[in-house]
Amino acid sequence: MSDAHISLRSIRKTYGSAVAVDDLNLDIEEGKFIAIMGPSGCGKSTMLRMLAGLEDVTSGDILREGARINELPIWEREMPMVWQSLALFPFLSVRENVEFGLRMNGIKASERQRRALEWLEKLGLGDFANRSINQLSGGQRQRVALARCLVTEPSVLLLDEPLSALDAHLSVQMQGELKRLQRELGITFVYVTHSHSEAFSMADTVVIMNQGRIEQAGSPEDIYLRPATPFVAEFLGGSSIFECTARARKTGDFVLESIDGAFKCDASEFPDLEEGQHTSLIVRADQISVTAEGGWAENEVRCKVIGEEFVGALVNLRLETAAGTAVNVQLQQRDMQALDIEVGAGVTASWHPEDGHLINNT
Ligand code: ADP
Ligand code: MG
C-alpha cells in the first residue's frame, strides 16, 4: 500500500452506456499541486466531482490515508471545490458567503464571523466584507469563492478551471496568488485546467487525461521533455511527430525509417528498441533549424512553408513534408528575417539526432 494522501484505484464512472472515467489510477501526495489536463469531455470534471463526493463512483476505490472513503458524504470529506462559475450567493454579503462554508459544520455565529473575516483579510478582501457579491470584480469574486472553501481549513482543495472566466492579465496574477497560497498553507490542490501555462507554471505534477484515462502523470519537466505517448506530444502541441520503424544496423545502432526518409536518433533512452519496432519520433519546435537549402545535417527533411505566426520575439513556422507530415518550428524573429522566406517556399528542416525523443507505439 502506498503512503499517498489520496489514491484513486481503478476508478470507473459510467452514465448509461457512456464511459466518462475508465480504470483511472492516481496517487496524490500530501501538500502537492496536481494539475489535470486533457481535451474537453475526457472526464476531468467527473473525476473531481467523484473526489468531492458530488458523484458516486461506478466501480473502484477512493482512498484517503489508505482508508476507503467512497461512501463518505460530501461534508465529511473535507475536500471542497471551486468552480469557474463560483456558485456564490448573490443575496448574501461577501462575509456571509464565506461563513456559509462553516454553517454546515455547526460552528457558532461569532466564531464563524471571526474566521470569515480572517480569511477575507488573508485574501486581500478585508475591506469588502459587507459588500454584496454584485459589487465585486471577477477577480474579487474568485477570491471570495476561495475564501469560502479555505475557511473550513480543508486538507485538499479541488479546483475546476477556476480562472477560465477571468481576463488574461487577471488570470496570470491569480496564478501567482494561488501558487503562493498553496505553498504557504501546505494544502493539496487538485486543479483542473485547459491552460498549459497554468498547469506548467503552478503544478508539481501534471496529469494528462484522454477518454477517461490517464495518458501520463509526471513533473512538468518530464511531460515536456519526455511525453510518454503520441497523444501527449500532440496535446501539448509545438512538436513534430514522425511515425517510424526501427532498422538495426551492423554497428549496433538504429536508423528510423519513415515516409519522410531515414532519421538517426540517440536510442540510449530507449534500451529495449528492437528491429522492426514501430515508434514515434518526437522533435520539439525549438530544436528544429530551418535553412533554405539542405545537405548539411544528419537529420533533415524537405518541407513547404504552410504558415507563420508571430508571437512576440518568436515566430511559429508551420511546415509540411511532401508526404504531408506537419513540421512545427519555433524561430527567433531575427532568424526568420535572415531566412527571408514566404508561405509556399521550399525549406529544409533539420535537427540533431540526440534531440529526437522516441515513443514506443506498440
Ligand atoms: P471534462 O471536464 O474533461 O470536459 P466531463 O467530466 O465533464 O469532461 O465529462 C466526461 C464525459 O462524461 C463526457 O462525455 C460527458 O458528456 C459525460 N458526462 C458528464 N456528466 C454527465 C452526466 N451527468 N450525464 C451523462 N453524461 C455525462
Ligand atoms: Mg469540465
Side-chain angles (χ1 to χ4, degrees):
M1 182 120 292
S2 83
D3 55 359
H5 186 199
I6 307 286
S7 296
L8 301 174
R9 292 271 180 275
S10 304
I11 295 288
R12 190 174 156 85
K13 177 70 184 179
T14 54
Y15 295 102
S17 61
V19 182
V21 168
D22 194 9
D23 194 27
L24 193 136
N25 290 284
L26 182 65
D27 284 333
I28 300 171
E29 279 178 66
E30 184 148 27
K32 295 288 187 206
F33 197 124
I34 314 293
I36 316 276
M37 297 189 75
S40 181
C42 73
K44 304 182 294 296
S45 295
T46 304
M47 175 193 145
L48 221 55
R49 292 170 59 79
M50 286 191 285
L51 272 174
L54 293 162
E55 201 84 71
D56 289 336
V57 307
T58 306
S59 62
D61 289 325
I62 303 176
L63 309 177
R64 179 159 64 199
E65 317 290 0
R68 191 168 181 270
I69 58 164
N70 287 31
E71 275 81 40
L72 204 64
I74 301 170
W75 55 92
E76 287 177 27
R77 290 212 187 184
E78 294 160 4
M79 291 195 237
M81 188 150 147
V82 184
W83 286 272
Q84 172 194 340
S85 57
L86 304 181
L88 295 170
F89 300 115
F91 49 86
L92 297 180
S93 72
V94 167
R95 195 200 77 223
E96 287 164 338
N97 263 281
V98 177
E99 275 187 42
F100 189 83
L102 295 171
R103 279 204 194 180
M104 293 293 285
N105 306 13
I107 290 163
K108 280 205 320 261
S110 58
E111 170 74 2
R112 286 203 309 258
Q113 186 164 346
R114 186 188 64 73
R115 283 169 62 177
L117 288 173
E118 182 186 313
W119 275 100
L120 286 170
E121 204 66 53
K122 275 190 200 170
L123 289 168
L125 290 169
D127 295 339
F128 298 86
N130 297 317
R131 283 213 192 168
S132 106
I133 292 296
N134 304 325
Q135 295 169 308
L136 299 184
S137 70
Q140 289 164 339
R141 283 182 209 198
Q142 189 54 262
R143 287 195 198 107
V144 175
L146 273 173
R148 187 177 59 180
C149 289
L150 292 170
V151 72
T152 63
E153 292 171 9
S155 59
V156 180
L157 189 62
L158 308 173
L159 304 102
D160 196 352
E161 310 208 14
L163 305 183
S164 54
L166 304 181
D167 65 51
H169 176 73
L170 201 53
S171 165
V172 169
Q173 187 189 335
M174 283 298 289
Q175 281 175 40
E177 287 186 29
L178 279 175
K179 183 64 203 172
R180 179 181 55 78
L181 207 59
Q182 189 267 335
R183 277 223 187 93
E184 280 176 14
L185 302 173
I187 296 179
T188 308
F189 272 34
V190 185
Y191 188 102
V192 167
T193 179
H194 64 263
S195 152
H196 294 204
S197 66
E198 283 178 26
F200 280 79
S201 67
M202 293 192 282
D204 300 302
T205 301
V206 176
V207 176
I208 312 281
M209 283 181 68
N210 178 28
Q211 297 188 333
R213 291 168 178 267
I214 292 178
E215 289 270 333
Q216 188 173 9
S219 69
E221 182 182 290
D222 229 19
I223 303 249
Y224 178 67
L225 295 178
R226 288 173 286 281
T229 65
F231 175 86
V232 173
E234 202 150 336
F235 179 74
L236 295 178
S239 286
S240 305
I241 305 177
F242 299 95
E243 302 303 330
C244 301
T245 307
R247 295 284 174 230
R249 297 194 302 187
K250 286 201 186 93
T251 51
D253 57 357
F254 282 88
V255 69
L256 304 167
E257 247 174 42
S258 78
I259 49 171
D260 298 303
F263 301 126
K264 281 187 192 165
C265 183
D266 174 11
S268 60
E269 265 190 51
F270 206 145
D272 307 332
L273 191 65
E274 285 175 14
E275 163 81 31
Q277 198 164 342
H278 294 291
T279 70
S280 295
L281 172 65
I282 313 289
V283 191
R284 283 208 326 273
D286 55 311
Q287 294 171 317
I288 296 184
S289 305
V290 174
T291 47
E293 303 297 331
W296 304 97
E298 282 190 280
N299 284 331
E300 55 180 42
V301 59
R302 260 328 255 180
C303 298
K304 195 163 102 174
V305 179
I306 301 297
E308 55 186 21
E309 184 198 5
F310 292 81
V311 244
L314 296 173
V315 183
N316 294 325
L317 199 56
R318 284 184 294 118
L319 311 177
E320 196 178 272
T321 67
T325 307
V327 176
N328 299 303
V329 187
Q330 191 167 64
L331 295 176
Q332 298 286 334
Q333 176 106 242
R334 58 170 179 277
D335 296 337
M336 181 71 185
Q337 270 158 6
L339 258 175
D340 193 24
I341 48 171
E342 287 173 359
V343 170
V347 293
T348 294
S350 63
W351 63 93
H352 296 295
E354 62 271 25
D355 287 340
H357 166 68
L358 281 186
I359 294 174
N360 188 351
N361 276 3
T362 51

